[in-house]
Amino acid sequence: MDKIQLKALAKINLGLDVLRRREDGYHEVKMIMQTISLCDELELRRTRQPGIQVRTNLPYLPTNENNLVYKAAKLLQDEFGMKEGVSIQLRKKIPVAAGMAGGSSDAAAVLWGMNRMYGFGLSRTALMERGVKLGADVPYCILRGTALAEGIGERLTALPPMPKCYLLIVKPGISVSTRFVYENLHANELRPEQHPDVDAMVQALKRKDLKALASGMGNILELVTVPAYPVIEEIRQCILKAGACGALMSGSGPTVFGIFDTQAKARKAVQAVRAAQLARQIYLTVPYNVRRQG
């Protein structure tokens, strides 16, 4: 195989709780992750010339070791002592720095694609073990679908797929520092009632109850991000008024998503967000669910 084309899927957090800040500085989390059909596109090609070449459609993205796709390729090249090189063409469609794991998903796609193209023979579990070295979200981006993430995000349990619905994704024109959000959360000082009920969301998924799932969603990071960036709450309220079953900030923000039971309601919400001029990056998509064996 001389080349392979891949899709790197975006994710949203249906629920995100931070349990505590560990002594090593990492945070213990409990999250429900969901891949969606919005994706980046990658093409990997073998090259006779050693090394890694990265090209992208966005001129401000790094194409060296500061890009996760480069790091993912180098991780496997170093481990297997590759003499051949690889050329990576990355077409970004997932909003950058949006709380949607775009970079992590791109890295996951490179690990999966190189494993197949070069015949390394690594299992999905083995790829996930390598992925966590690149970032806490990378193992999930290899797994995909609906999953409960615990630990620092690397302990994953597959969940029943999300019920059929439509998703509105809205990314306002601001950037949010994940580091800023976590440093100002003060996780060990939060009251019990401030934590979202992630277990109740898991039960709603098992019952395939979309409205209970959507109405019970929660993201504890909103406690920090929303006061700092009020436009996030403006977008959420706009989506809810347009008929969403529920709306939430994804990850550390600033992206907000809404869940709709009909496409007509979702399209109405698109027009409402545009009319309010709250954001330019607006996407209408659906959950991406994978079929699990067993």
Side-chain angles (χ1 to χ4, degrees), residues 130-162:
R130 286 157 177 78
V132 76
K133 298 175 184 177
L134 300 168
D137 283 342
V138 178
Y140 166 72
C141 293
I142 294 170
L143 180 69
R144 294 179 166 184
T146 315
L148 178 69
E150 298 175 280
I152 62 169
E154 88 289 2
R155 283 181 13 228
L156 299 166
T157 305
L159 294 173
M162 194 175 178

Side-chain angles (χ1 to χ4, degrees), residues 176-185 224-225 228-229:
V176 174
S177 164
T178 299
R179 182 175 180 178
F180 164 81
V181 174
Y182 275 95
E183 285 181 349
N184 287 276
L185 182 62
V224 176
T225 312
Y229 303 94

Side-chain angles (χ1 to χ4, degrees), residues 162-165 200-201 204-205 207-217 243-247 259-262 265:
M162 194 175 178
K164 181 181 177 181
C165 62
M201 287 180 256
L205 281 167
R207 298 194 309 270
K208 301 187 183 301
D209 189 336
L210 180 65
K211 291 191 176 179
L213 172 68
S215 63
M217 294 189 304
C245 301
I259 297 178
F260 296 84
D261 53 6
T262 71
K265 290 178 183 177

